[in-house]
Amino acid sequence: MAELAPVDRLLVLAVAILTGATLLVAVEAHAFCSVFCIHAGSMTIETQICSGRS
């Protein structure tokens, strides 16, 4: 396998960072939604944030 050029290494690093950041945001959003969907009661935030939950 050929050695990766510095630009290719930077691209791989950028993709890895973006993937990690995306997963982190998704996990935090899921945790936030879970808290408000379970404990929201009659709050309108439940219908705004968690409209896709069944």
Side-chain angles (χ1 to χ4, degrees), residues 6-39:
V7 174
D8 292 337
R9 288 183 190 163
L10 185 61
L11 179 63
V12 169
L13 180 63
V15 169
I17 290 171
L18 286 173
T19 301
T22 302
L23 289 174
L24 181 64
V25 168
V27 166
E28 289 191 12
H30 176 72
F32 179 80
C33 183
S34 294
V35 167
F36 279 98
C37 286
I38 292 170
H39 300 292

Side-chain angles (χ1 to χ4, degrees), residues 26-54:
V27 166
E28 289 191 12
H30 176 72
F32 179 80
C33 183
S34 294
V35 167
F36 279 98
C37 286
I38 292 170
H39 300 292
S42 62
M43 293 175 60
T44 58
I45 196 166
E46 180 179 358
T47 58
Q48 293 172 354
I49 295 176
C50 309
S51 59
R53 289 180 61 126
S54 55

